[in-house]
Structures are given as structure tokens and as C-alpha cells.
Amino acid sequence: ASPPATPSPGAPGAATYLVIKNLAGPDQLLSARAPVSGRVVLARRGTGPLGPGSTLSALAIPARSTTSLSPLGADIVLIAPGALQVGATVPVTLTFRRAGRVTVDFTVTPPGTP
């Protein structure tokens, strides 16, 4: 199953959530790109030293671990993605420092649904 891409109601972006399974050494997620978006950012939500909605220049991916991108922590946000049709697939290319580029297909879901 594809990870979800959910347009935020009243917001100029759509959040994407996924689980990154790293079977090798430490890595960093450096960027993401999508053909439906003017810009894609790595963001951290919630409270803490970076504050809510802070953008990240990179996201550490620990060695031999699973990293979840979710609404409760770090995620990828498609800025001004245009009209997204529920059920459509959006390819997002993730760029890692060591692993290189990996393209993931996200399925668009209604706001507030997984």
C-alpha cells in the first residue's frame, strides 16, 4: 500500500507520512521533490526547541532503524500542490546523503484520514 498524502484543510500544503526502514549505516534525508508541488519541505511539528511547523535542512536517519514521518513529529509537506484528487497517486523523490534517490508513490487521502 502507498503511504498517504493528505491535503490540509484551509492550508496551502499537503502533508505526507511514511515509515523509512534503514537496514544499513546512518544516513540523512536531505530533500524531497514532487511534480505536483512548487516546493517540498521537511518539517517538524509539535512542541520543542524547534517549535511547531519548523522547517528542517535534513533529517537524521539512524543506522539499522525505523523512522516514522507523521503528524506528531517530522514529515514532508508539499507546498501549494494544486488540486489533489482523493485516490490519486503522487510520486515523491526522496534524496538521502548515502542511499541516493528513492521515489515513493503516495496515495492522496481526504484530510483527517490515514
PDB file of all heavy atoms in Angstrom, residues 88-110:
ATOM      1  N   ALA A  88      -5.757   9.605  -6.023  1.00  0.00           N
ATOM      2  CA  ALA A  88      -4.664   9.766  -6.994  1.00  0.00           C
ATOM      3  C   ALA A  88      -3.337   9.398  -6.346  1.00  0.00           C
ATOM      4  O   ALA A  88      -3.195   9.393  -5.125  1.00  0.00           O
ATOM      5  CB  ALA A  88      -4.611  11.204  -7.504  1.00  0.00           C
ATOM      6  N   THR A  89      -2.362   9.095  -7.173  1.00  0.00           N
ATOM      7  CA  THR A  89      -1.025   8.766  -6.707  1.00  0.00           C
ATOM      8  C   THR A  89      -0.080   9.909  -7.047  1.00  0.00           C
ATOM      9  O   THR A  89      -0.114  10.426  -8.167  1.00  0.00           O
ATOM     10  CB  THR A  89      -0.531   7.459  -7.368  1.00  0.00           C
ATOM     11  OG1 THR A  89      -1.438   6.411  -7.029  1.00  0.00           O
ATOM     12  CG2 THR A  89       0.852   7.084  -6.886  1.00  0.00           C
ATOM     13  N   VAL A  90       0.738  10.303  -6.073  1.00  0.00           N
ATOM     14  CA  VAL A  90       1.712  11.377  -6.265  1.00  0.00           C
ATOM     15  C   VAL A  90       3.102  10.801  -6.014  1.00  0.00           C
ATOM     16  O   VAL A  90       3.398  10.361  -4.909  1.00  0.00           O
ATOM     17  CB  VAL A  90       1.456  12.545  -5.290  1.00  0.00           C
ATOM     18  CG1 VAL A  90       2.520  13.616  -5.437  1.00  0.00           C
ATOM     19  CG2 VAL A  90       0.066  13.118  -5.488  1.00  0.00           C
ATOM     20  N   PRO A  91       3.987  10.790  -7.039  1.00  0.00           N
ATOM     21  CA  PRO A  91       5.346  10.311  -6.807  1.00  0.00           C
ATOM     22  C   PRO A  91       6.186  11.397  -6.122  1.00  0.00           C
ATOM     23  O   PRO A  91       6.164  12.550  -6.528  1.00  0.00           O
ATOM     24  CB  PRO A  91       5.870  10.023  -8.216  1.00  0.00           C
ATOM     25  CG  PRO A  91       5.089  10.945  -9.096  1.00  0.00           C
ATOM     26  CD  PRO A  91       3.746  11.129  -8.433  1.00  0.00           C
ATOM     27  N   VAL A  92       6.875  11.015  -5.057  1.00  0.00           N
ATOM     28  CA  VAL A  92       7.764  11.932  -4.353  1.00  0.00           C
ATOM     29  C   VAL A  92       9.147  11.290  -4.338  1.00  0.00           C
ATOM     30  O   VAL A  92       9.304  10.139  -3.928  1.00  0.00           O
ATOM     31  CB  VAL A  92       7.276  12.212  -2.915  1.00  0.00           C
ATOM     32  CG1 VAL A  92       8.257  13.099  -2.163  1.00  0.00           C
ATOM     33  CG2 VAL A  92       5.891  12.850  -2.938  1.00  0.00           C
ATOM     34  N   THR A  93      10.147  12.036  -4.823  1.00  0.00           N
ATOM     35  CA  THR A  93      11.510  11.535  -4.844  1.00  0.00           C
ATOM     36  C   THR A  93      12.248  12.060  -3.620  1.00  0.00           C
ATOM     37  O   THR A  93      12.378  13.268  -3.430  1.00  0.00           O
ATOM     38  CB  THR A  93      12.238  11.946  -6.132  1.00  0.00           C
ATOM     39  OG1 THR A  93      11.514  11.407  -7.247  1.00  0.00           O
ATOM     40  CG2 THR A  93      13.661  11.416  -6.157  1.00  0.00           C
ATOM     41  N   LEU A  94      12.694  11.138  -2.784  1.00  0.00           N
ATOM     42  CA  LEU A  94      13.447  11.452  -1.579  1.00  0.00           C
ATOM     43  C   LEU A  94      14.929  11.356  -1.906  1.00  0.00           C
ATOM     44  O   LEU A  94      15.352  10.413  -2.574  1.00  0.00           O
ATOM     45  CB  LEU A  94      13.105  10.467  -0.460  1.00  0.00           C
ATOM     46  CG  LEU A  94      11.622  10.252  -0.165  1.00  0.00           C
ATOM     47  CD1 LEU A  94      11.438   9.153   0.869  1.00  0.00           C
ATOM     48  CD2 LEU A  94      10.983  11.533   0.291  1.00  0.00           C
ATOM     49  N   THR A  95      15.719  12.306  -1.431  1.00  0.00           N
ATOM     50  CA  THR A  95      17.165  12.258  -1.640  1.00  0.00           C
ATOM     51  C   THR A  95      17.857  12.095  -0.295  1.00  0.00           C
ATOM     52  O   THR A  95      17.691  12.922   0.602  1.00  0.00           O
ATOM     53  CB  THR A  95      17.675  13.531  -2.344  1.00  0.00           C
ATOM     54  OG1 THR A  95      16.999  13.658  -3.595  1.00  0.00           O
ATOM     55  CG2 THR A  95      19.168  13.468  -2.597  1.00  0.00           C
ATOM     56  N   PHE A  96      18.607  10.995  -0.181  1.00  0.00           N
ATOM     57  CA  PHE A  96      19.364  10.682   1.022  1.00  0.00           C
ATOM     58  C   PHE A  96      20.849  10.920   0.762  1.00  0.00           C
ATOM     59  O   PHE A  96      21.322  10.732  -0.364  1.00  0.00           O
ATOM     60  CB  PHE A  96      19.155   9.212   1.413  1.00  0.00           C
ATOM     61  CG  PHE A  96      17.746   8.887   1.805  1.00  0.00           C
ATOM     62  CD1 PHE A  96      16.827   8.466   0.846  1.00  0.00           C
ATOM     63  CD2 PHE A  96      17.331   8.979   3.123  1.00  0.00           C
ATOM     64  CE1 PHE A  96      15.526   8.154   1.203  1.00  0.00           C
ATOM     65  CE2 PHE A  96      16.034   8.679   3.481  1.00  0.00           C
ATOM     66  CZ  PHE A  96      15.121   8.262   2.523  1.00  0.00           C
ATOM     67  N   ARG A  97      21.577  11.305   1.800  1.00  0.00           N
ATOM     68  CA  ARG A  97      23.017  11.547   1.660  1.00  0.00           C
ATOM     69  C   ARG A  97      23.736  10.292   1.162  1.00  0.00           C
ATOM     70  O   ARG A  97      24.542  10.352   0.244  1.00  0.00           O
ATOM     71  CB  ARG A  97      23.618  12.005   2.993  1.00  0.00           C
ATOM     72  CG  ARG A  97      25.113  12.317   2.880  1.00  0.00           C
ATOM     73  CD  ARG A  97      25.692  12.938   4.127  1.00  0.00           C
ATOM     74  NE  ARG A  97      25.016  14.141   4.585  1.00  0.00           N
ATOM     75  CZ  ARG A  97      25.154  15.360   4.048  1.00  0.00           C
ATOM     76  NH1 ARG A  97      25.936  15.538   3.006  1.00  0.00           N
ATOM     77  NH2 ARG A  97      24.499  16.387   4.548  1.00  0.00           N
ATOM     78  N   ARG A  98      23.466   9.147   1.747  1.00  0.00           N
ATOM     79  CA  ARG A  98      24.184   7.913   1.370  1.00  0.00           C
ATOM     80  C   ARG A  98      23.393   7.035   0.401  1.00  0.00           C
ATOM     81  O   ARG A  98      23.953   6.471  -0.512  1.00  0.00           O
ATOM     82  CB  ARG A  98      24.535   7.131   2.622  1.00  0.00           C
ATOM     83  CG  ARG A  98      25.551   7.863   3.484  1.00  0.00           C
ATOM     84  CD  ARG A  98      26.331   6.898   4.354  1.00  0.00           C
ATOM     85  NE  ARG A  98      27.519   7.548   4.848  1.00  0.00           N
ATOM     86  CZ  ARG A  98      27.621   8.115   6.030  1.00  0.00           C
ATOM     87  NH1 ARG A  98      26.580   8.128   6.834  1.00  0.00           N
ATOM     88  NH2 ARG A  98      28.745   8.676   6.411  1.00  0.00           N
ATOM     89  N   ALA A  99      22.117   6.893   0.622  1.00  0.00           N
ATOM     90  CA  ALA A  99      21.309   5.971  -0.194  1.00  0.00           C
ATOM     91  C   ALA A  99      20.943   6.551  -1.553  1.00  0.00           C
ATOM     92  O   ALA A  99      20.482   5.825  -2.428  1.00  0.00           O
ATOM     93  CB  ALA A  99      20.043   5.575   0.559  1.00  0.00           C
ATOM     94  N   GLY A 100      21.120   7.864  -1.733  1.00  0.00           N
ATOM     95  CA  GLY A 100      20.779   8.482  -3.016  1.00  0.00           C
ATOM     96  C   GLY A 100      19.290   8.750  -3.130  1.00  0.00           C
ATOM     97  O   GLY A 100      18.613   9.008  -2.145  1.00  0.00           O
ATOM     98  N   ARG A 101      18.786   8.668  -4.350  1.00  0.00           N
ATOM     99  CA  ARG A 101      17.374   8.990  -4.610  1.00  0.00           C
ATOM    100  C   ARG A 101      16.499   7.742  -4.562  1.00  0.00           C
ATOM    101  O   ARG A 101      16.854   6.703  -5.123  1.00  0.00           O
ATOM    102  CB  ARG A 101      17.239   9.645  -5.974  1.00  0.00           C
ATOM    103  CG  ARG A 101      17.832  11.020  -6.000  1.00  0.00           C
ATOM    104  CD  ARG A 101      17.524  11.721  -7.305  1.00  0.00           C
ATOM    105  NE  ARG A 101      18.063  13.058  -7.252  1.00  0.00           N
ATOM    106  CZ  ARG A 101      18.846  13.576  -8.173  1.00  0.00           C
ATOM    107  NH1 ARG A 101      19.152  12.882  -9.251  1.00  0.00           N
ATOM    108  NH2 ARG A 101      19.305  14.793  -8.034  1.00  0.00           N
ATOM    109  N   VAL A 102      15.349   7.914  -3.916  1.00  0.00           N
ATOM    110  CA  VAL A 102      14.348   6.852  -3.819  1.00  0.00           C
ATOM    111  C   VAL A 102      13.002   7.502  -4.092  1.00  0.00           C
ATOM    112  O   VAL A 102      12.651   8.497  -3.460  1.00  0.00           O
ATOM    113  CB  VAL A 102      14.340   6.207  -2.411  1.00  0.00           C
ATOM    114  CG1 VAL A 102      13.240   5.164  -2.306  1.00  0.00           C
ATOM    115  CG2 VAL A 102      15.697   5.617  -2.071  1.00  0.00           C
ATOM    116  N   THR A 103      12.236   6.962  -5.046  1.00  0.00           N
ATOM    117  CA  THR A 103      10.917   7.508  -5.348  1.00  0.00           C
ATOM    118  C   THR A 103       9.849   6.657  -4.667  1.00  0.00           C
ATOM    119  O   THR A 103       9.866   5.430  -4.758  1.00  0.00           O
ATOM    120  CB  THR A 103      10.675   7.577  -6.865  1.00  0.00           C
ATOM    121  OG1 THR A 103      11.664   8.438  -7.432  1.00  0.00           O
ATOM    122  CG2 THR A 103       9.290   8.135  -7.185  1.00  0.00           C
ATOM    123  N   VAL A 104       8.931   7.346  -3.973  1.00  0.00           N
ATOM    124  CA  VAL A 104       7.841   6.702  -3.240  1.00  0.00           C
ATOM    125  C   VAL A 104       6.537   7.243  -3.805  1.00  0.00           C
ATOM    126  O   VAL A 104       6.392   8.451  -3.995  1.00  0.00           O
ATOM    127  CB  VAL A 104       7.932   7.026  -1.731  1.00  0.00           C
ATOM    128  CG1 VAL A 104       6.795   6.376  -0.975  1.00  0.00           C
ATOM    129  CG2 VAL A 104       9.277   6.610  -1.161  1.00  0.00           C
ATOM    130  N   ASP A 105       5.576   6.362  -4.078  1.00  0.00           N
ATOM    131  CA  ASP A 105       4.257   6.773  -4.548  1.00  0.00           C
ATOM    132  C   ASP A 105       3.338   6.949  -3.347  1.00  0.00           C
ATOM    133  O   ASP A 105       3.127   6.019  -2.576  1.00  0.00           O
ATOM    134  CB  ASP A 105       3.667   5.743  -5.503  1.00  0.00           C
ATOM    135  CG  ASP A 105       4.386   5.725  -6.834  1.00  0.00           C
ATOM    136  OD1 ASP A 105       4.826   6.788  -7.292  1.00  0.00           O
ATOM    137  OD2 ASP A 105       4.511   4.627  -7.407  1.00  0.00           O
ATOM    138  N   PHE A 106       2.790   8.161  -3.189  1.00  0.00           N
ATOM    139  CA  PHE A 106       1.852   8.472  -2.119  1.00  0.00           C
ATOM    140  C   PHE A 106       0.444   8.470  -2.690  1.00  0.00           C
ATOM    141  O   PHE A 106       0.217   8.998  -3.775  1.00  0.00           O
ATOM    142  CB  PHE A 106       2.140   9.855  -1.530  1.00  0.00           C
ATOM    143  CG  PHE A 106       3.391   9.902  -0.704  1.00  0.00           C
ATOM    144  CD1 PHE A 106       4.626  10.105  -1.295  1.00  0.00           C
ATOM    145  CD2 PHE A 106       3.325   9.730   0.671  1.00  0.00           C
ATOM    146  CE1 PHE A 106       5.783  10.146  -0.533  1.00  0.00           C
ATOM    147  CE2 PHE A 106       4.480   9.769   1.437  1.00  0.00           C
ATOM    148  CZ  PHE A 106       5.709   9.978   0.841  1.00  0.00           C
ATOM    149  N   THR A 107      -0.507   7.903  -1.949  1.00  0.00           N
ATOM    150  CA  THR A 107      -1.911   7.939  -2.337  1.00  0.00           C
ATOM    151  C   THR A 107      -2.580   9.080  -1.600  1.00  0.00           C
ATOM    152  O   THR A 107      -2.447   9.211  -0.377  1.00  0.00           O
ATOM    153  CB  THR A 107      -2.611   6.612  -1.987  1.00  0.00           C
ATOM    154  OG1 THR A 107      -1.946   5.555  -2.685  1.00  0.00           O
ATOM    155  CG2 THR A 107      -4.080   6.640  -2.388  1.00  0.00           C
ATOM    156  N   VAL A 108      -3.305   9.937  -2.323  1.00  0.00           N
ATOM    157  CA  VAL A 108      -3.980  11.091  -1.736  1.00  0.00           C
ATOM    158  C   VAL A 108      -5.205  10.612  -0.969  1.00  0.00           C
ATOM    159  O   VAL A 108      -6.039   9.878  -1.515  1.00  0.00           O
ATOM    160  CB  VAL A 108      -4.392  12.115  -2.816  1.00  0.00           C
ATOM    161  CG1 VAL A 108      -5.141  13.286  -2.186  1.00  0.00           C
ATOM    162  CG2 VAL A 108      -3.165  12.602  -3.580  1.00  0.00           C
ATOM    163  N   THR A 109      -5.293  11.014   0.317  1.00  0.00           N
ATOM    164  CA  THR A 109      -6.430  10.677   1.158  1.00  0.00           C
ATOM    165  C   THR A 109      -7.123  11.957   1.604  1.00  0.00           C
ATOM    166  O   THR A 109      -6.513  13.020   1.620  1.00  0.00           O
ATOM    167  CB  THR A 109      -5.986   9.869   2.398  1.00  0.00           C
ATOM    168  OG1 THR A 109      -5.108  10.678   3.179  1.00  0.00           O
ATOM    169  CG2 THR A 109      -5.294   8.574   2.004  1.00  0.00           C
ATOM    170  N   PRO A 110      -8.392  11.881   1.994  1.00  0.00           N
ATOM    171  CA  PRO A 110      -9.077  13.076   2.490  1.00  0.00           C
ATOM    172  C   PRO A 110      -8.406  13.584   3.770  1.00  0.00           C
ATOM    173  O   PRO A 110      -7.848  12.799   4.525  1.00  0.00           O
ATOM    174  CB  PRO A 110     -10.500  12.601   2.785  1.00  0.00           C
ATOM    175  CG  PRO A 110     -10.653  11.326   2.038  1.00  0.00           C
ATOM    176  CD  PRO A 110      -9.280  10.730   1.947  1.00  0.00           C
TER     177      PRO A 110
END
